[in-house]
């Protein structure tokens, strides 16, 4: 809009009106220009010069980050970047703290296991009170699973290790492998250490699905465990509850094998194979498909203080030696396969 010209000679009223109208027009133009200047100033505030490229006057919008996100102002973009940095630093601190706690736990376990040469080591497990992440295996702060406790045993060590298991149900397939140690005991915390009698029909406080020692050099004692959930038991060559293969000597004492496995094809409750020796004593085995099974190259001794009825085959030896006084009864007392040898009360079968 152009300014108005005064043409007539009457200057009093008309001149005043024309003058005022011109003032309004100038004010409007000024406001419009000020708004444009503000926009340009903000744009300039958010432009940075680039020295690269073909021209030294190249400009880039500083409101845009490296992800292509556009912010209203440079300050907003910088604040967003700083806030994200703070969050990343906090996350990193949490990760470092977690790693520190895990390292402290590992160091505590190592300290416990190597406190002195040949010293006895005790590791505690509790299904109800334990914690595999925060526990250290002490009686006050036990692990939650038996396998986690087993995993704390160094592959080569001179300590006798006992894993004390609190009452509870542990549906685990525990595997002990590649360990060289004098003795490894896995026993119920509630069961007495000594006693010459068997367990009869008593329910045992610790229940577990299966246990297997493989490729170890050690003496094992499995004491006071009741084997359950046998329908889901794993298999080596055959499904099993307790087994030892190529692993020195194992004694199974005061354990219970009572779930009916007669319909589970090829199930062998207690198995030994390879360069291994197994002794079963004061235990109760009922309604098993095969109660005792010795596979090629191994030797299995069944004490006469065991108990149990209703088993399909009590003792089976396949290219191995099985010495049986048993105490367990069933449809078939003994069975040999290949060069299997069963010796029962001085009689070779």
């Amino acid at each position: 809009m152009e300014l108005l010209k005064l043409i007539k000679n009457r200057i009093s009223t008309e001149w005043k009106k024309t003058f005022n109208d011109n003032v309004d027009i100038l004010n409007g133009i000024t406001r419009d220009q000020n708004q444009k200047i503000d926009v340009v100033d903000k744009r300039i505030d958010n432009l940075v010069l680039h020295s690269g490229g073909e021209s030294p006057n190249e400009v880039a919008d500083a409101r845009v980050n490296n992800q292509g996100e556009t912010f209203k102002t440079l300050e907003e973009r910088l604040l967003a970047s700083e806030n994200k940095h703070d969050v990343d630093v906090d996350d990193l601190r949490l990760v470092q703290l977690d790693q520190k706690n895990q390292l402290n736990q590992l160091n505590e376990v190592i300290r416990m296991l190597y406190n002195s040469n040949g010293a006895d080591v005790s590791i505690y497990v509790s299904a109800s009170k334990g914690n595999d992440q925060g526990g250290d295996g002490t009686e006050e702060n036990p692990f939650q699973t038996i396998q986690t406790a087993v995993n704390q045993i160094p592959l080569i060590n001179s300590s006798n290790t006992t894993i004390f298991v609190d009452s509870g149900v542990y549906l685990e397939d525990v595997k002990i492998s590649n360990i060289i140690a004098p003795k490894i005991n896995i026993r119920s915390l509630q069961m007495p250490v000594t006693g010459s009698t068997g367990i009869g029909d008593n329910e045992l406080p610790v229940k577990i699905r299966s246990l297997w020692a493989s490729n170890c050099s050690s003496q094992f004692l499995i004491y006071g465990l009741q084997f359950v959930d046998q329908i889901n038991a794993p298999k080596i060559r055959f499904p099993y509850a307790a087994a030892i293969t190529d692993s020195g000597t194992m004694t199974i004492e005061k354990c219970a094998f009572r779930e009916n496995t007669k319909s589970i094809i090829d199930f062998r409750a207690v198995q030994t194979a390879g360069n291994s020796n197994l002794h079963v004593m004061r235990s109760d085995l009922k309604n098993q498909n095969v109660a005792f099974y010795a596979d090629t190259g191994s030797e299995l001794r069944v004490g006469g203080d065991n108990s149990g009825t209703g088993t399909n085959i009590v003792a089976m030896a396949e290219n191995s030696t099985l010495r049986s006084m048993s105490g367990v009864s069933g449809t078939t007392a003994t069975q040999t396969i290949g060069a299997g040898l069963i010796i029962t009360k001085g009689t070779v079968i």
Side-chain angles (χ1 to χ4, degrees), residues 141-175:
N141 194 19
F143 294 118
Q144 189 174 39
T145 61
I146 301 171
Q147 188 63 62
T148 298
V150 168
N151 293 345
Q152 310 309 311
I153 304 174
L155 296 181
I156 300 176
N157 72 93
S158 58
S159 299
N160 298 325
T161 302
T162 298
I163 297 175
F164 290 97
V165 186
D166 195 10
S167 60
V169 178
Y170 301 82
L171 297 183
E172 303 180 50
D173 299 312
V174 177
K175 184 177 180 181

Side-chain angles (χ1 to χ4, degrees), residues 9-131:
N9 292 328
R10 299 188 301 275
I11 64 173
S12 56
T13 303
E14 292 186 20
W15 182 88
K16 184 183 298 183
K17 181 179 182 305
T18 301
F19 179 82
N20 290 336
D21 289 342
N22 285 334
V23 169
D24 291 339
I25 292 171
L26 286 173
N27 288 336
I29 293 173
T30 301
R31 284 194 299 271
D32 183 59
Q33 292 303 314
N34 287 338
Q35 290 175 355
K36 291 180 179 180
I37 290 172
D38 288 340
V39 171
V40 172
D41 286 343
K42 288 181 179 179
R43 183 66 177 165
I44 291 174
D45 287 342
N46 293 303
L47 294 177
V48 293
L49 291 178
H50 277 205
S51 60
E54 298 180 357
S55 170
N57 297 321
E58 288 183 345
V59 294
D61 197 329
R63 298 175 301 135
V64 182
N65 66 12
N66 63 340
Q67 302 296 324
E69 299 174 294
T70 302
F71 297 84
K72 291 182 180 180
T73 64
L74 173 59
E75 179 184 17
E76 183 179 332
R77 197 211 80 180
L78 293 176
L79 285 175
S81 178
E82 291 174 358
N83 290 336
K84 185 178 185 304
H85 173 73
D86 291 342
V87 171
D88 291 342
V89 169
D90 289 339
D91 290 343
L92 180 59
R93 286 173 180 166
L94 291 176
V95 171
Q96 289 176 330
L97 180 61
D98 183 59
Q99 290 177 339
K100 182 179 179 180
N101 291 336
Q102 292 182 25
L103 182 60
N104 289 338
Q105 177 184 347
L106 179 60
N107 288 336
E108 178 60 24
V109 171
I110 292 174
R111 183 199 64 76
M112 177 183 66
L113 292 173
Y114 290 99
N115 55 1
S116 61
N117 289 332
D120 291 344
V121 173
S122 297
I123 305 176
Y124 289 85
V125 176
S126 175
S128 60
K129 299 180 291 186
N131 188 313

Side-chain angles (χ1 to χ4, degrees), residues 133-339:
Q133 284 71 46
D136 57 15
T138 60
E139 190 170 7
E140 297 78 16
N141 194 19
F143 294 118
Q144 189 174 39
T145 61
I146 301 171
Q147 188 63 62
T148 298
V150 168
N151 293 345
Q152 310 309 311
I153 304 174
L155 296 181
I156 300 176
N157 72 93
S158 58
S159 299
N160 298 325
T161 302
T162 298
I163 297 175
F164 290 97
V165 186
D166 195 10
S167 60
V169 178
Y170 301 82
L171 297 183
E172 303 180 50
D173 299 312
V174 177
K175 184 177 180 181
I176 313 167
S177 59
N178 304 306
I179 294 177
I180 299 175
K183 291 182 180 179
I184 298 175
N185 306 321
I186 300 178
R187 52 161 289 117
S188 167
L189 181 62
Q190 285 75 23
M191 293 280 285
V193 177
T194 60
S196 58
T197 59
I199 58 173
D201 293 326
N202 295 321
E203 285 289 305
L204 303 186
V206 175
K207 296 175 173 61
I208 181 176
R209 183 162 53 220
S210 70
L211 186 146
W212 176 27
S214 171
N215 297 302
C216 296
S217 178
S218 185
Q219 292 183 10
F220 296 94
L221 171 63
I222 310 303
Y223 185 91
L225 308 184
Q226 183 165 333
F227 291 83
V228 298
D229 191 31
Q230 299 300 270
I231 191 65
N232 294 311
K235 63 185 298 184
I236 309 167
R237 182 182 173 194
F238 305 108
Y240 67 92
I244 179 172
T245 58
D246 296 305
S247 292
T249 301
M250 176 182 287
T251 298
I252 296 176
E253 183 176 2
K254 290 192 175 182
C255 290
F257 305 80
R258 294 179 181 143
E259 286 193 353
N260 193 323
T261 63
K262 292 193 288 186
S263 62
I264 302 177
I265 298 175
D266 293 329
F267 188 89
R268 280 94 161 111
V270 178
Q271 301 183 31
T272 181
N275 185 26
S276 301
N277 293 280
L278 178 61
H279 183 197
V280 184
M281 56 192 296
R282 293 193 277 274
S283 294
D284 188 49
L285 296 93
K286 288 184 174 68
N287 299 317
Q288 299 300 303
N289 180 45
V290 177
F292 308 105
Y293 173 69
D295 201 356
T296 305
S298 65
E299 182 172 328
L300 195 157
R301 181 184 182 278
V302 181
D305 45 10
N306 296 290
S307 62
T309 59
T311 289
N312 285 340
I313 301 173
V314 176
M316 179 185 291
E318 181 173 355
N319 301 311
S320 59
T321 302
L322 195 155
R323 304 173 187 272
S324 177
M325 296 181 67
S326 187
V328 178
S329 63
T331 303
T332 301
T334 61
Q335 184 179 104
T336 59
I337 301 174

